[in-house]
Amino acid sequence: MIANLINTALGLVLVYSAILDPDLFEGKAIRIGLCAAAVFALALWARRSDAYRWQSSADMLLAALLLALALLQFRSPALLTFWGLFWIGILVSVLALWAVMHRPAGARTHPSPSQSSG
């Protein structure tokens, strides 16, 4: 749950930077790459406690897209950076917050291998 909350905040930072402070990430591939690594690592950590794993899987895919955006920084126009950060940030935030808030009554988190009966 904590990893998803941090991912939500990180996604909001991406959206904030795209709209209100574009100089924070524009032309700075290292910062975008670090954000991509953080989103991926947090989504991987969140998979352990999620009721459904598809939200964290989607966040990992978005982290890969964010990494691709970082690699394109050297040749891409500023508009691509804006829209990439904007949409990836929104989707990461929504999916991570959804994973935090959506806890179905009958669903349990996935047990670890040591907890499974067998």
Side-chain angles (χ1 to χ4, degrees), residues 13-98:
V13 166
L14 291 173
V15 173
Y16 165 81
S17 70
I19 296 172
L20 298 175
D21 193 9
D23 293 334
L24 187 63
F25 285 111
E26 189 175 320
K28 296 173 178 75
I30 300 282
R31 289 184 185 173
I32 296 174
L34 289 174
C35 284
V39 168
F40 190 87
L42 288 166
L44 195 60
W45 179 25
R47 273 179 84 87
R48 299 175 60 207
S49 64
D50 285 347
Y52 300 110
R53 292 185 175 180
W54 70 268
Q55 289 109 336
S56 56
S57 297
D59 278 346
M60 284 189 249
L61 176 66
L62 290 168
L65 290 174
L66 193 59
L67 184 62
L69 182 66
L71 295 174
L72 289 174
Q73 280 296 296
F74 304 109
R75 295 182 181 210
S76 66
L79 195 58
L80 178 66
T81 303
F82 169 79
W83 285 112
L85 291 175
F86 180 78
W87 282 109
I88 291 172
I90 284 177
L91 290 172
V92 164
S93 295
V94 167
L95 291 173
L97 190 60
W98 185 358

